[in-house]
Amino acid sequence: MTRFLSTILILACVSVVAADPCKSGPQPNQRPGPYSSLVCVGKERGQQHCYICESAARPVVIVFARSLSDPLGKLVKKLDGAIQEHKTAELRSWVTFLAEDQTAMDPKVVQWAQKHAISGVPCAVFEDKVGPPTYLIAHDADVTVLLSVKHKVVANFAFRAGELDDAAIADIVKAIPRIVNVK
């Protein structure tokens, strides 16, 4: 009986831990630091580029991802639309894939972007699964989304594999006015 109760207690603790929201990357009021990644999709294709440096104080949506999923494609397609919608605010967005081998990842990113008809959001690869050191991307985070303006993170969304869904995508898109309507 004691062994049975111990097993139940362990399972209960594991499910509580698994239900905790994923926490990854710079948190609100922290500054996203510069980093370079090799561009796979976008006008800088084939070049190391720092989108943080280029964006300056403009509103930005930064996406870090470890996998090429359909929900991520849906999110990035929505960001494509948001860039057009908030053109006067000069909204910027890009996706940085975290991978050990950029050369192997590049054709997969290109094919994924074509599949999802992504045109206005550049996609790049940072050649390290851990991500840029100052960003502290959680190991269990499959997707981390940062909304920032004037060099400060305003909102942070992080998802383990399988957690990014339509409701989460809607929450991210609903948060964009918080960075584009800042004077």
Side-chain angles (χ1 to χ4, degrees):
M1 183 69 166
T2 305
R3 186 175 225 164
F4 175 73
L5 290 175
S6 296
T7 303
I8 297 281
L9 184 59
I10 288 170
L11 289 174
C13 289
V14 167
S15 40
V16 167
V17 169
D20 287 344
C22 188
K23 185 176 179 183
S24 177
Q27 299 301 303
N29 295 317
Q30 292 182 325
R31 183 183 180 114
Y35 69 92
S36 289
S37 51
L38 193 58
V39 180
C40 303
V41 174
K43 65 181 180 175
E44 296 87 5
R45 177 164 171 66
Q47 300 172 39
Q48 287 285 336
H49 193 75
C50 177
Y51 288 105
I52 289 284
C53 302
E54 176 186 284
S55 297
R58 292 179 186 97
V60 297
V61 180
I62 309 164
V63 180
F64 288 98
R66 290 196 167 96
S67 65
L68 300 157
S69 68
D70 286 339
L72 179 63
K74 277 179 146 178
L75 169 63
V76 178
K77 189 65 182 164
K78 295 273 189 189
L79 296 176
D80 238 350
I83 288 170
Q84 292 306 311
E85 181 182 341
H86 300 289
K87 202 172 231 168
T88 58
E90 298 184 77
L91 177 65
R92 305 274 199 275
S93 184
W94 62 92
V95 180
T96 303
F97 289 97
L98 307 178
E100 292 301 326
D101 183 358
Q102 191 280 334
T103 305
M105 189 69 163
D106 180 84
K108 295 174 187 173
V109 171
V110 170
Q111 183 178 25
W112 173 86
Q114 289 171 342
K115 174 184 176 184
H116 294 286
I118 295 164
S119 59
V121 177
C123 300
V125 174
F126 186 85
E127 208 164 28
D128 188 339
K129 277 275 217 196
V130 175
T134 61
Y135 278 75
L136 303 174
I137 304 297
H139 293 287
D140 64 339
D142 186 49
V143 177
T144 301
V145 181
L146 306 172
L147 278 68
S148 175
V149 66
K150 297 185 178 182
H151 307 289
K152 294 262 185 198
V153 173
V154 173
N156 173 307
F157 301 87
F159 309 95
R160 294 177 189 89
E163 290 181 346
L164 183 62
D165 58 16
D166 290 343
I169 292 167
D171 287 343
I172 294 165
V173 172
K174 278 192 273 185
I176 292 174
R178 294 173 52 195
I179 60 172
V180 295
N181 296 329
V182 174
K183 301 290 180 212

